[in-house]
Amino acid sequence: MAPALSNKMVLLIGNFPPDQQESMQRFSEVMLRELRTLGIAAQLIQPPNRVARFLPPQFHFLKKWAGYIDKLILFPRQLPKLRGAEIVHICDHSNAIYATHFSKVPVVVTCHDLLAVRGSLGEDTDCPASWTGRILQRWIVNSLQRVQAIVCVSHATAADANRILGGKANAPAITVIENGLNYPFQPLPQETARARLAKDPRLRLDHPFVLHVGSGLRRKNREGALRIFARTKDHWNARLVFAGDVLSNELWTVAHGLNIGDRIVEIGSVESEFLEALYNCAHAVLFPSRFEGFGWPIAEAQACGCPVLCRDAPPMSEVAGDAALLRNIDDEEGFANDLLRLRDPVVREKYRALGLQNATRFSAKRMAEQYLALYLALGNAA
């Protein structure tokens, strides 16, 4: 397959770096790496930070609008000047608006979720839209309808895409290609993992800890994670570690109100090597997210042999397979009981083994090969 495309150039379009959408940045970078490993000429371009960089961080509102100038006005002017691309792959559907600048080559868009689109349509996704947001999401939907192929990262996201985009004349083909892990997460010897974590004095490794990985977005349900953990506090001397955005003042107020403020550890964003060590040493990953497009921490944790607790609803249940402890999002007592059940070595080993097996699905190489097959089909049809 690769030799048939080896003389074609694939242009990947990534996200605006100042937006700090880490998972999207990692996806585009792993696509670039894997395509080149397979012998494909690939190039990654991103909207440059030209205007927004001149504003200091405290001018957050102005930086946001300056970023729109970079993304929606300056960057599109560069696109017609690009030459040589035979396939254009827009790595995040939120950038689908760039597709109109590539009328002569097939365009593929990866759709990670349609939560913002659904929110703009009045659906409950924890992503409400302002009037300008509704305009932007409508623009994105209209742009998606003009591309040759949409790849969804889960069947749940594909169902949303078919419902919102399908059934229309000349609707693009919608297919599913699951994400591959963007780092080779794996089980580590405990001494190796603990040595990595010992570099951060905030982590006291003499206590078991439950890990939550993710941003501070409402849909991540960090408040639910606090309430679930609080239900276990009288049964063990554990800690709840947050990796990702720092906790808001409101969440700290909740934590203190639940009398677990002294058991919370926040470590902010971490590199993949450190995150791998966290997964290896954690009692479990608690991921009671309400809405996702995929759910990276589920697959990452399982690849490290860490048990996962998550919502029993797609796409979380889809990614987790039968290898996680699944609960209705409102069953916080059930989540808490499952955390305590995992103290049993037999139960823990069961979910460790199931998770390791399930995680083999998420191969970055296989993901890239599936995209290559799609590129080839589109190239032959063009």
Side-chain angles (χ1 to χ4, degrees):
M1 185 186 310
L5 279 172
S6 59
N7 60 346
K8 294 184 182 291
M9 204 279 275
V10 177
L11 178 65
L12 303 171
I13 298 182
N15 287 41
F16 186 50
D19 285 344
Q20 297 182 322
Q21 296 166 308
E22 290 187 21
S23 60
M24 297 301 96
Q25 298 283 10
R26 291 178 181 180
F27 174 79
S28 59
E29 289 165 2
V30 76
M31 282 298 306
L32 179 67
R33 183 191 72 212
E34 294 299 325
L35 287 174
R36 288 179 171 175
T37 298
L38 292 172
I40 304 304
Q43 177 186 358
L44 172 63
I45 62 171
Q46 300 165 288
N49 183 12
R50 292 178 177 171
V51 178
R53 65 190 176 95
F54 289 109
L55 293 171
Q58 60 265 34
F59 293 99
H60 175 74
F61 180 78
L62 292 177
K63 282 184 74 70
K64 174 183 175 181
W65 286 95
Y68 284 140
I69 294 173
D70 285 327
K71 292 185 287 186
L72 304 182
I73 298 176
L74 298 183
F75 183 57
R77 291 180 179 178
Q78 295 180 239
L79 299 180
K81 302 175 184 178
L82 295 171
R83 297 288 186 271
E86 295 178 73
I87 296 288
V88 173
H89 181 175
I90 299 174
C91 294
D92 179 4
H93 64 281
S94 66
N95 294 320
I97 54 179
Y98 301 137
T100 57
H101 298 277
F102 299 99
S103 58
K104 297 182 180 180
V105 296
V107 177
V108 177
V109 175
T110 296
C111 184
H112 296 271
D113 66 71
L114 286 169
L115 299 177
V117 171
R118 290 172 56 195
S120 73
L121 296 173
E123 299 182 24
D124 179 16
T125 61
D126 283 345
C127 299
S130 64
W131 70 271
T132 53
R134 289 193 293 273
I135 292 173
L136 177 60
Q137 296 306 318
R138 193 177 306 120
W139 189 7
I140 290 171
V141 169
N142 290 339
S143 300
L144 285 171
Q145 292 169 342
R146 300 178 183 179
V147 306
Q148 283 65 51
I150 296 173
V151 176
C152 296
V153 300
S154 66
H155 290 280
T157 297
D160 288 339
N162 278 298
R163 176 169 57 85
I164 294 170
L165 302 168
K168 297 179 175 62
N170 300 317
I174 297 173
T175 189
V176 175
I177 298 178
E178 291 183 320
N179 284 329
L181 294 176
N182 52 50
Y183 179 85
F185 291 100
Q186 62 183 321
L188 299 172
Q190 275 295 293
E191 58 271 22
T192 300
R194 292 175 72 87
R196 290 183 190 176
L197 299 187
K199 298 174 183 178
D200 191 324
R202 293 169 294 184
L203 288 167
R204 292 179 55 191
L205 300 178
D206 53 338
H207 299 298
F209 67 89
V210 175
L211 178 64
H212 182 280
V213 178
S215 70
L217 294 173
R218 184 179 176 220
R219 63 183 174 88
K220 298 296 183 179
N221 196 21
R222 283 178 155 190
E223 185 172 340
L226 290 170
R227 291 193 301 266
I228 290 165
F229 181 75
R231 286 177 176 270
T232 72
K233 69 176 186 288
D234 295 333
H235 301 278
W236 60 341
N237 189 18
R239 301 291 182 267
L240 177 57
V241 174
F242 286 94
D245 293 344
V246 297
L247 294 180
S248 65
N249 291 335
E250 291 78 10
L251 286 175
W252 274 113
T253 298
V254 171
H256 290 301
L258 293 168
N259 295 317
I260 56 171
D262 60 339
R263 299 197 188 189
I264 304 302
V265 179
E266 56 177 1
I267 56 175
S269 297
V270 294
E271 297 297 325
S272 296
E273 186 178 73
F274 194 88
L275 182 59
E276 180 181 46
L278 284 170
Y279 286 137
N280 270 269
C281 293
H283 173 77
V285 162
L286 178 59
F287 193 71
S289 183
R290 286 166 44 81
F291 301 102
E292 291 289 334
F294 183 74
W296 287 98
I298 298 171
E300 293 170 352
Q302 289 182 338
C304 295
C306 180
V308 174
L309 292 76
C310 63
R311 183 184 182 186
D312 188 9
M316 288 73 75
S317 55
E318 180 184 337
V319 174
D322 62 355
L325 294 103
L326 305 173
R327 291 282 179 177
N328 183 287
I329 195 63
D330 297 319
D331 186 10
E332 295 181 354
E333 181 177 1
F335 274 116
N337 289 337
D338 285 340
L339 279 177
L340 296 174
R341 281 177 58 210
L342 285 169
R343 295 181 300 174
D344 183 333
V346 175
V347 175
R348 181 176 181 77
E349 181 54 34
K350 171 187 173 181
Y351 286 100
R352 170 182 167 81
L354 288 172
L356 286 169
Q357 178 59 38
N358 185 59
T360 61
R361 294 162 47 195
F362 307 113
S363 160
K365 179 176 182 291
R366 182 169 64 182
M367 175 188 71
E369 289 174 341
Q370 289 176 308
Y371 275 102
L372 275 180
L374 177 60
Y375 298 160
L376 181 60
L378 292 173
N380 289 338

